[in-house]
Amino acid sequence: MMTPAPLTNLLGLSVPQLEAFCADIGEKPFRARQLARWLHKNGVSSFEEMTDLAKSLREKLPAVACVNTPGIVSDKTAQDFTRKWLFDVGQGNAVETVFIPETNRGTLCVSSQAGCAVNCRFCSTGKQGFARNLKADEIVAQLWLANRLLGAEPSGDRIISNVVMMGMGEPLLNYENLVPALHLMLDDHAYGLSRRRVTVSTSGVVPFMDRLSQDCPVALAVSLHAPNDTLRDDLVPLNKKYPLKDLLDACLRYLKYAPRDFITFEYVMLQNVNDGDKHIEELIGIAKHVPCKLNLIPFNPFPESGLLRSNNDRIARFVNRLSEAGVVTTVRKTRGDDIDAACGQLAGDVKDRTRLSSRQPVNVQTDEKNEKIIQFNLSLAPKSAQR
Ligand code: SAH
Ligand code: SF4
């Protein structure tokens, strides 16, 4: 017996890829744009509900395509309304996605890999090792699911206006899947975000920074964390392969194509490790070379890291001295730490993971008036629960 061809998961196809898919099944290119709008703008997963598609196409699609998302393992809301989901990507792997509501925007922090191979000393994702790259559909599904899950909430401040690739994993080491996902985030037929509102954060994978500048130049954040090679080799082991000079040159090249005229440097504040006055002077030197904004991240501890957060006076000294020297310096607010959703705490809750095999793909949402809890299987979600 012949094995049937696997179904194509439409969630991970950029609009040009959807056009190619439509051509393969004998459909016109405009069908791709219709499909993208149903899938991403309306959050619809059932072909039957895509009412402006020709009936023949609606009948044809289930044999060749599907709309699959990872299951939801957990859904937690912190006291500051930061919300964190753990999504099951199969074979015991789970990834985390975090929504951070702020006054004028809502930022979704998206994962690119299950685990991470870079193994930075201060990062709990790195400590868990590398499992696998997420597929494009698994990256997009985080946005798709978050939109849908947030959409069920009544207040209008639950809208995703920004995406940062700052969840689990090193996005530029999963380039082939990252780029179609980014294209969907930007495409007007899908999520329609501007390039300034989509940020890729990288530990400094130099060749792929160059490729990104050509293929999809979104805003770039670079995890600097140390202002000299000796320290950076120790904190971010990838530095041994792409040392600071190469990294900073790559930043300058990227800036020619970037949607902003600066690079964001992330700098985790580690007590007695990278928070000395000498480091301030070195940072000023770097900032003279590369137009940048510096974002200081108070270290978020996790068990067995053996590292401490710099104290507030130290962080304030960094801000003052750097600002005096003309370097725009901000301190990242710690969000969602009561549910382990803060930067670097994303590891996939091990207790949750052990339950994966017995878990049902059941989702919990509130109704429009936020009055009662509805439980439903996502693939059978009633139309009223879809946006
Ligand atoms: N791999 C990419 C993106 C994910 S990490 C990168 O490293 O840039 C997102 C940000 O959180 C990075 O700047 C990362 O260095 C930082 N981070 C990691 N662990 C942290 C921790 N324990 N406390 C504070 N920030 C951390
Ligand atoms: Fe990977 Fe980024 Fe964590 Fe480093 S900080 S281990 S690159 S996820």
Side-chain angles (χ1 to χ4, degrees):
M1 219 175 69
M2 268 184 32
T3 11
L7 301 180
T8 304
N9 189 352
L10 299 187
L11 270 192
L13 300 187
S14 65
V15 176
Q17 288 171 330
L18 272 175
E19 282 174 1
F21 170 81
C22 285
D24 279 351
I25 60 167
E27 295 289 336
K28 298 228 166 64
F30 78 95
R31 295 293 182 200
R33 298 189 287 276
Q34 283 182 316
L35 275 168
R37 286 196 294 268
W38 277 114
L39 292 168
H40 303 292
K41 283 214 174 301
N42 301 328
V44 165
S45 54
S46 132
F47 299 131
E48 268 166 46
E49 286 172 31
M50 303 183 177
T51 44
D52 61 0
L53 298 185
K55 190 147 184 284
S56 57
L57 174 57
R58 271 184 273 155
E59 284 166 3
K60 191 181 333 175
L61 280 170
V64 288
C66 61
V67 181
N68 276 348
T69 65
I72 301 158
V73 184
S74 69
D75 177 345
K76 295 180 187 160
T77 303
Q79 278 167 3
D80 65 5
F81 300 108
T82 296
R83 193 157 159 189
K84 181 176 87 165
W85 297 280
L86 185 64
F87 294 128
D88 170 11
V89 292
Q91 295 178 329
N93 292 313
V95 295
E96 294 183 313
T97 307
V98 180
F99 177 71
I100 306 146
E102 287 170 283
T103 318
N104 297 319
R105 63 181 178 187
T107 302
L108 192 72
C109 180
V110 170
S111 293
S112 55
Q113 299 179 312
C116 183
V118 179
N119 197 16
C120 300
R121 248 183 76 191
F122 47 81
C123 175
S124 74
T125 304
K127 291 287 157 278
Q128 118 191 15
F130 174 69
R132 71 167 173 86
N133 282 328
L134 296 189
K135 292 177 286 167
D137 56 82
E138 292 168 323
I139 299 174
V140 174
Q142 295 171 63
L143 183 49
W144 192 90
L145 283 166
N147 251 331
R148 191 140 132 172
L149 295 162
L150 292 166
E153 296 189 359
S155 64
D157 60 356
R158 304 272 133 183
I159 302 300
I160 297 166
S161 61
N162 296 59
V163 172
V164 294
M165 296 302 304
M166 293 187 186
M168 295 163 70
E170 168 49 58
L172 293 187
L173 289 179
N174 184 13
Y175 192 77
E176 300 307 322
N177 292 299
L178 173 73
V179 168
L182 292 177
H183 281 141
L184 278 172
M185 293 173 197
L186 304 182
D187 201 300
D188 281 340
H189 299 289
Y191 299 95
L193 299 174
S194 84
R195 291 197 289 136
R196 297 161 155 263
R197 288 174 176 270
V198 175
T199 301
V200 167
S201 175
T202 180
S203 54
V205 195
V206 165
F208 286 103
M209 288 165 65
D210 286 322
R211 283 187 62 184
L212 190 69
S213 75
Q214 302 304 306
D215 297 338
C216 194
V218 293
L220 189 69
V222 170
S223 288
L224 191 64
H225 305 314
N228 63 63
D229 279 320
T230 316
L231 186 53
R232 199 162 188 272
D233 280 352
D234 180 40
L235 293 178
V236 184
L238 192 69
N239 195 68
K240 291 181 196 140
K241 195 160 180 192
Y242 306 114
L244 268 177
K245 179 171 185 326
D246 295 0
L247 176 60
L248 299 179
D249 287 348
C251 290
L252 287 174
R253 291 194 297 276
Y254 195 89
L255 277 172
K256 294 193 191 124
Y257 304 93
R260 297 175 183 274
D261 54 8
F262 60 89
I263 300 284
T264 302
F265 285 134
E266 295 159 286
Y267 195 94
V268 64
M269 294 295 294
L270 301 165
Q271 187 170 70
N272 297 333
V273 175
N274 65 356
D275 67 351
D277 286 352
K278 151 179 182 286
H279 303 120
I280 299 179
E281 298 313 317
E282 288 174 329
L283 280 171
I284 294 171
I286 288 177
K288 283 199 178 121
H289 185 53
V290 179
C292 64
K293 287 189 180 172
L294 188 63
N295 193 213
L296 305 176
I297 316 175
F299 171 60
N300 293 309
F302 58 93
E304 288 139 39
S305 71
L307 295 161
L308 296 172
R309 177 186 291 186
S310 305
N311 65 37
N312 290 345
D313 289 349
R314 260 284 119 197
I315 298 177
R317 186 170 170 86
F318 260 60
V319 174
N320 292 337
R321 292 280 296 273
L322 285 153
S323 304
E324 276 165 21
V327 185
V328 177
T329 307
T330 50
V331 181
R332 189 176 296 176
K333 251 208 268 160
T334 296
R335 298 290 305 258
D337 53 350
D338 52 325
I339 55 165
D340 286 347
C343 297
Q345 291 183 324
L346 307 183
D349 187 308
V350 176
K351 257 191 276 126
D352 283 336
R353 279 148 149 259
T354 57
R355 288 204 310 265
L356 283 178
S357 54
S358 57
R359 192 194 45 75
Q360 294 296 312
V362 167
N363 176 26
V364 181
Q365 294 194 349
T366 49
D367 73 2
E368 271 149 40
K369 296 202 184 83
N370 206 13
E371 277 172 352
K372 65 171 185 254
I373 301 289
I374 310 162
Q375 282 212 339
F376 60 86
N377 180 317
L378 266 182
S379 59
L380 302 173
K383 197 170 173 215
S384 61
Q386 300 180 353
R387 293 204 312 146

